[in-house]
Amino acid sequence: MPLLPATRTPDPADAPVLRWGVLGPGEIAGDFVAALQRHTRQRVVAVGSRSAERAAAFAATYAVPNVHVGYEALVADPEVDVVYIATPHSEHTANALLAIAAGKHVLIEKPVAVTADLAGTIFAAAEAAGVFAMEAMWTRFLPQTDVVAQLLEDGALGRLSLATADFAGGPAPRDPSSRLLDPAQGGGALLDLGVYVAWWSQFTLGTPDAVTARGALGPTGVDEQATLLLEAGEAQGIGVVGLRGRTAWRASVVGAAGRVEVDSPYWAASGLTLFGADGAVADRWEDPYGRPFRQGLCYEGAATARAIVEGRTGCPEHPAERAIAVLETLDAARHELGYADPPGWTA
């Protein structure tokens, strides 16, 4: 069988420069800004928070020149081209619509919304306004993912039969008011981590025809553990997520002519192995770029900048339709487990 192709992922430092505003200065926002500053030429020019103290501390840590108290002030800043939304996902819809109404492009942390209907509302508003909107599915933009994408495009693995992915991050805090356990904040393993496993199945096999979910709800009513079976034609995707113990963080896709196994953590820069139909190792690829873990967030930032400068309202690698389809899968899985939508989760 053919050897692994070279990645087509451009150097993030080559992307055209835009001015970014950060809405919600939490941990993921800090890692995103650090990745942009280390590996790209993007400029982070403003941060907005409801807390003056948090905004000021973030600005001091990452040398962000403009501080705004309140999200309205951030999205009104004429120096900001694109807003990175990093608030809890229960707030994404309101925050994204605020930025879009102000004429700003948006990159929205995953999941882009808590339901597929709300995700559709965001993307429809962006399309009507003529601005860019994308879910920040950073794994899709990693160099290793492009290697897999080429194998799939070329049919190098033959007829596909199975995709697997697991992402249980370890025991969650037992505070029922924590983001991970509070249903009003979109708690649960599926909304926190399930986007990764559902996306992997759809990236490799396509949108599922049927979704089966098994798992366990905790005392607060959110899923603390879930296993998904996603049927796409004759192929099956299996995804495992949880808040009770850490899994291996690996992914694979299997076809009649061979299989690919992505190293742990598959959702960040790592490596992959290509096996032939006989199970023997055919080739090996390891990420050579030195952007481990969340440093890989730089790739989605660079892709966003390229798309905006080119006048596009999304990226073909992760279009709105894929983000919505992943949330449709998570909606179905949550409901099958008995996790009902809290009040307000309607478009």
Side-chain angles (χ1 to χ4, degrees):
M1 70 183 306
L3 299 181
L4 290 168
T7 184
R8 302 167 296 189
T9 304
D11 186 338
D14 292 338
V17 179
L18 293 183
R19 300 169 301 177
W20 292 75
V22 173
L23 193 157
E27 178 185 352
I28 186 66
D31 289 342
F32 178 75
V33 171
L36 290 187
Q37 292 176 336
R38 181 168 183 174
H39 300 295
T40 80
R41 297 180 297 123
Q42 303 302 306
R43 294 177 56 211
V44 181
V45 299
V47 57
S49 174
R50 293 173 180 151
S51 164
E53 293 76 15
R54 291 188 70 208
F58 189 93
T61 299
Y62 299 102
V64 178
N66 298 315
V67 175
H68 297 291
V69 180
Y71 302 149
E72 293 83 0
L74 174 73
V75 303
D77 188 337
E79 297 299 312
V80 171
D81 300 314
V82 52
V83 175
Y84 171 66
I85 295 174
T87 49
H89 40 259
S90 56
E91 306 302 311
H92 285 178
T93 302
N95 298 155
L97 293 178
L98 180 71
I100 290 167
K104 302 300 187 186
H105 306 289
V106 289
L107 177 64
I108 309 157
E109 259 309 325
K110 72 205 127 351
V112 63
V114 287
T115 69
D117 284 348
L118 289 174
T121 298
I122 293 171
F123 290 120
E127 189 67 28
V131 299
F132 176 95
M134 188 175 74
E135 179 181 56
M137 178 45 70
W138 64 302
T139 305
R140 176 59 185 89
F141 296 92
L142 296 173
Q144 72 204 32
T145 306
D146 182 66
V147 174
V148 178
Q150 292 182 71
L151 293 174
L152 298 174
E153 291 164 8
D154 296 340
L157 300 179
R159 188 176 185 178
L160 300 179
S161 58
L162 179 67
T164 68
D166 69 85
F167 195 177
R174 301 319 302 172
D175 179 359
S177 66
S178 73
R179 176 186 67 82
L180 290 174
L181 298 181
D182 181 7
Q185 298 184 69
L190 284 168
L191 281 173
D192 185 51
L193 302 172
V195 64
Y196 286 97
V197 301
W199 165 79
W200 175 259
S201 178
Q202 295 200 24
F203 165 63
T204 53
L205 305 179
T207 304
D209 308 308
V211 176
T212 302
R214 295 291 182 269
L217 299 184
T220 62
V222 305
D223 60 296
E224 295 190 8
Q225 186 168 296
T227 299
L228 305 182
L229 174 62
L230 310 179
E231 299 176 66
E234 296 183 356
Q236 296 176 322
I238 298 173
V240 178
V241 293
L243 303 176
R244 295 179 171 177
R246 177 173 161 169
T247 57
W249 300 351
R250 294 182 180 273
S252 69
V253 57
V254 181
R259 77 179 188 274
V260 169
E261 294 186 358
V262 185
D263 297 352
S264 175
Y266 75 92
W267 37 263
S270 54
L272 54 85
T273 304
L274 176 67
F275 297 85
D278 60 357
V281 173
D283 202 1
R284 171 79 186 157
W285 185 90
E286 294 185 10
D287 190 287
Y289 300 110
R291 302 174 184 125
F293 293 96
R294 285 182 174 172
Q295 290 184 42
L297 292 165
C298 64
Y299 293 105
E300 66 178 5
T304 295
R306 291 189 196 95
I308 290 171
V309 171
E310 292 168 4
R312 292 188 276 142
T313 56
C315 284
E317 294 90 346
H318 190 60
E321 293 78 9
R322 174 59 50 79
I324 292 170
V326 166
L327 273 167
E328 288 174 340
T329 294
L330 299 183
D331 287 348
R334 283 191 303 104
H335 296 160
E336 186 171 358
L337 294 176
Y339 180 168
D341 294 347
W345 285 22
T346 55

